[in-house]
Amino acid sequence: MKIVVTGGAGFIGSHLVDRLLHAGNAEVVVLDNLLRGRVAHLAQHSTNSALRIVEGDIREPALLHELFAGADTIYHLAAQSNVIGAVSDLNYSFSTNVAGTVHVLQAAQQANVRRVVFTSSREVYGEVVQLPVREETPLNAKNAYGASKAAGELYARVFQTTYGLETSVLRLANVYGPRDRDRVIPLWLDAARAGRNLIVYGGTQLIDFIYIDTVVEALIRAATRPLWGPLNIGSGQGTPILALAERILALDGVDVQIDRQPAREIEVARFTANVAAMYEYLDLEPPDDPLFALEQLWALPDS
C-alpha cells in the first residue's frame, strides 16, 4: 500500500510518518517544501527503503499527480500552520491552505485515491460563546488562518459529494509535543531554559491542549473508520493560560517569572472541544491530564 503525507517533515507530519513506518505495511511518500518542516525529523528512517522524501510544494499540480499515482491514502497536513504567520503573509497562507488544498483534492480524485485525511483546526470556529464547542457550531473564523482552513473543509466536502472522493476532516485543538516550535509551549520551554520570563499576552485565554500521540492515533483511525462529518480532536478540557505558565514555573530548575503583555486581538481567546464524537467514531480517549508530557519535554532540550 502507498501512503502520501503532505507536510510529512513537519511537527505533526513527522510523528505520523514514524507511526506509519513502524507499522511496516506501506510505502510512505513525504512531500514537504521544508519551510517549516525539517528532514532531520525523519533522520531515524534514513535507511528505511519504505520511505521516500520529496522536497516540493502542494502548489505544483504536476508533482502531485506524479506522487499520488497508485496511492491508497493521502494525509494532507501541508499548510501555513501558524496564526500570526498566516496573517503576516496572507498570499502564502491563501495559496497554500486554500489553493494548495484544492490541488491536493483534485490530484487525489484524478488518481483514484481511496481517502484524503485533512487536518483542519479549531480556528475555524473563531470566538464562541458556549463551551465546549460541538462540531455543529457555525464556522466563524476570526483570522486568516481559520478562514483558510474553513475553506479547505468546504472544498473537501465538495470533492466528496460531487466527485466521490472520501474525505475525513479533523479539527485539531492545540497540539503539542517533541519537534514543535513557534507555539506557546515550546516557546515558553525555550524561554525558561534561557532564563527569560514567560510572556503572556492577555492572560484570560482558555486553551484545549492535546498531546501529539493522541493526534497521530486519530489520524491513523480516521483513514479507515466509517466517514463522518468533521471531528474535533482535543482533550475536552480547557487549560487557563496562566495555569500553563504556573506548570512551567514549577518544573525543576526553572527560575523565571510571568511577564504579562496586552492581548493580541487576532488570536482566539477561549476554546474547549466537545470530544463526544471523537470517542464515538474513533474510539479515542485522551489522557486525563492534557499537560502530562510537560516534564518529558522539559528534559528534551531539542524538543
Side-chain angles (χ1 to χ4, degrees):
M1 183 170 63
K2 178 180 177 181
I3 297 172
V4 180
V5 183
T6 73
F11 162 45
I12 298 174
S14 64
H15 284 278
L16 172 62
V17 171
D18 288 345
R19 277 288 304 275
L20 294 171
L21 291 173
H22 180 73
N25 57 1
E27 170 195 0
V28 179
V29 178
V30 167
L31 173 62
D32 201 300
N33 64 11
L34 301 182
L35 288 182
R36 283 182 59 84
R38 298 176 177 175
V39 173
H41 289 161
L42 302 172
Q44 67 271 31
H45 307 297
S46 61
T47 61
N48 191 334
S49 60
L51 174 64
R52 178 187 176 195
I53 302 174
V54 177
E55 182 177 355
D57 202 292
I58 58 172
R59 296 173 295 178
E60 303 175 51
L63 178 60
L64 296 179
H65 286 290
E66 173 194 339
L67 298 182
F68 289 7
D72 174 82
T73 305
I74 308 297
Y75 289 99
H76 178 36
L77 284 75
Q80 164 52 272
S81 58
N82 181 279
V83 170
I84 303 300
V87 173
S88 62
D89 192 345
L90 185 60
N91 288 335
Y92 177 69
S93 63
F94 175 81
S95 64
T96 299
N97 295 9
V98 182
T101 295
V102 172
H103 291 322
V104 167
L105 294 167
Q106 188 173 42
Q109 182 263 326
Q110 292 174 351
N112 294 314
V113 168
R114 180 185 60 84
R115 183 173 297 188
V116 174
V117 180
F118 173 57
T119 52
S120 185
S121 167
R122 58 101 170 185
E123 292 285 345
V124 299
Y125 296 114
E127 212 72 75
V128 297
V129 175
Q130 185 174 353
L131 299 176
V133 181
R134 298 177 57 87
E135 287 88 351
E136 296 82 4
T137 301
L139 305 190
N140 187 27
K142 183 179 181 179
N143 52 58
Y145 175 66
S148 70
K149 283 297 186 179
E153 285 193 20
L154 291 173
Y155 275 109
R157 186 172 67 187
V158 166
F159 270 83
Q160 180 167 297
T161 58
T162 303
Y163 303 109
L165 174 66
E166 292 186 5
T167 60
S168 292
V169 175
L170 302 184
R171 292 173 178 161
L172 307 184
N174 286 64
V175 188
Y176 78 103
R179 306 175 195 163
D180 191 17
R181 57 193 176 97
D182 299 332
R183 278 180 277 266
V184 63
I185 287 179
L187 285 172
W188 281 1
L189 290 176
D190 287 345
R193 292 186 185 104
R196 301 191 306 270
N197 289 340
L198 310 186
I199 299 177
V200 176
Y201 293 99
T204 62
Q205 297 96 318
L206 188 71
I207 301 175
D208 189 326
F209 290 104
I210 184 71
Y211 190 61
I212 182 64
D213 288 356
T214 304
V215 173
V216 168
E217 188 61 38
L219 288 163
I220 296 291
R221 298 185 187 191
T224 58
R225 297 296 174 97
L227 291 173
W228 197 74
L231 287 174
N232 290 332
I233 306 298
S235 69
Q237 301 182 50
T239 298
I241 194 70
L242 292 176
L244 168 63
E246 293 294 342
R247 286 281 293 263
I248 292 177
L249 294 181
L251 293 170
D252 187 42
V254 174
D255 186 19
V256 298
Q257 298 178 335
I258 296 172
D259 178 5
R260 295 186 67 166
Q261 299 289 332
R264 297 186 292 197
E265 293 302 321
I266 200 169
E267 297 177 322
V268 173
R270 298 175 60 81
F271 177 83
T272 305
N274 183 308
V275 293
M278 183 181 82
Y279 286 112
E280 180 177 356
Y281 290 94
L282 298 183
D283 299 318
L284 192 57
E285 184 173 353
D288 291 336
D289 175 13
L291 299 177
F292 75 95
L294 278 181
E295 290 80 4
Q296 171 191 339
L297 293 175
W298 175 244
L300 296 172
D302 296 326
S303 64

